[in-house]
Amino acid sequence: MIHVHHLADSRSQRVLWLLEELGLDYEVVRYERDPQTYLAPPALKAIHPLGKSPVVEVGDIRVAETGAIVEWLLETYDKGQLRPPAGTEAARRFTYWLHYSEGSAMTPLLLKLVFSRLPSGAPGLVRPLVKTIAAKAQSGFVDPQLETHIAYWEAELGKSDWFAGEAFSAADIMMSFPLEAATARAGAGERPRIRAFLDRIHARPAYRAALARGGPYAYA
């Protein structure tokens, strides 16, 4: 049995979606965030030293990091339906988006989240100053970076409906989080091609089944 250590409101939702697309049986071990700090609970450190999610366990095999989990699941269980044939242009694009989703795309999204929450965690006397600094950091650096990425996604989705080409693949599963998070935090869903992509993935039965298994989800 595949066990997924799944943190609420986290990127591990994509692992559940991939497992649904692959038609595999799995069990969800769910962890809730601390309501004050929004951090993962200490119990996750018993699973992985960093206390992060997702982690997948199959027997004595334990795999962490979303991208590594996706690659391992595809190598182990995929029959060719969720990744393009090796050596093709689609395969090159697949590899690029698979890694871009957790690399370049996540940096400005994480910064947006951090700076938006800084003022609420600051002591009362310095909160106005922290709010001003956070706002300047967002308007001067974070938001322009996010806008660059959002425009890039919109342009790439003008080439084909899916990120790796004409066929849906696990690259689209990986890219779902940046697009959904950017929609919640930066209005990316106002772009017509991004909105159409999100509508397409939301209509997939496996996406809906994974959401039902993983529980309520907040991207903001």
Side-chain angles (χ1 to χ4, degrees), residues 10-217:
S10 78
R11 287 171 264 177
S12 65
Q13 182 65 35
R14 293 174 297 182
V15 174
L16 306 186
W17 180 14
L18 175 60
L19 290 167
E20 292 287 347
E21 293 282 358
L22 290 170
L24 299 173
D25 292 330
Y26 63 96
E27 293 291 339
V28 178
V29 184
R30 185 178 172 88
Y31 300 81
E32 300 296 332
R33 293 180 179 273
D34 184 288
Q36 301 300 319
T37 66
Y38 205 60
L39 296 176
L44 263 174
K45 286 195 173 180
I47 306 303
H48 190 278
L50 296 180
K52 302 292 185 181
S53 171
V55 176
V56 166
E57 286 186 302
V58 184
D60 59 355
I61 298 172
R62 182 176 291 177
V63 187
E65 289 293 336
T66 307
I69 291 170
V70 168
E71 288 199 84
W72 181 76
L73 288 173
L74 292 176
E75 290 169 0
T76 306
Y77 301 104
D78 182 53
K79 305 302 182 184
Q81 70 267 35
L82 291 176
R83 56 178 173 177
T88 63
E89 173 65 10
R92 184 190 64 78
R93 290 179 60 82
F94 172 86
T95 300
Y96 170 77
W97 291 110
L98 190 73
H99 293 282
Y100 166 89
S101 64
E102 284 291 279
S104 298
M106 285 308 302
T107 301
L109 285 166
L110 179 59
L111 289 173
K112 181 74 172 176
L113 184 64
V114 169
F115 282 114
S116 66
R117 290 184 174 174
L118 271 180
S120 63
L125 289 177
V126 299
R127 190 169 298 156
L129 176 61
V130 173
K131 185 176 181 179
T132 299
I133 294 172
K136 287 185 176 180
Q138 290 189 75
S139 63
F141 176 72
V142 178
D143 290 345
Q145 286 292 312
L146 263 177
E147 178 59 28
T148 297
H149 284 274
I150 291 169
Y152 177 44
W153 306 335
E154 182 74 4
E156 289 297 307
L157 288 170
K159 299 176 181 178
S160 58
D161 283 349
W162 305 110
F163 278 98
E166 297 304 321
F168 172 81
S169 74
D172 300 297
I173 295 176
M174 288 296 287
M175 282 299 297
S176 67
F177 188 93
L179 269 66
E180 295 195 284
T183 293
R185 302 172 197 174
E190 297 174 8
R191 303 294 183 100
R193 291 168 185 155
I194 290 175
R195 181 72 265 162
F197 172 86
L198 294 175
D199 289 343
R200 285 193 294 275
I201 66 172
H202 293 166
R204 295 184 72 86
Y207 179 97
R208 297 197 298 271
L211 201 59
R213 292 288 300 273
Y217 205 89

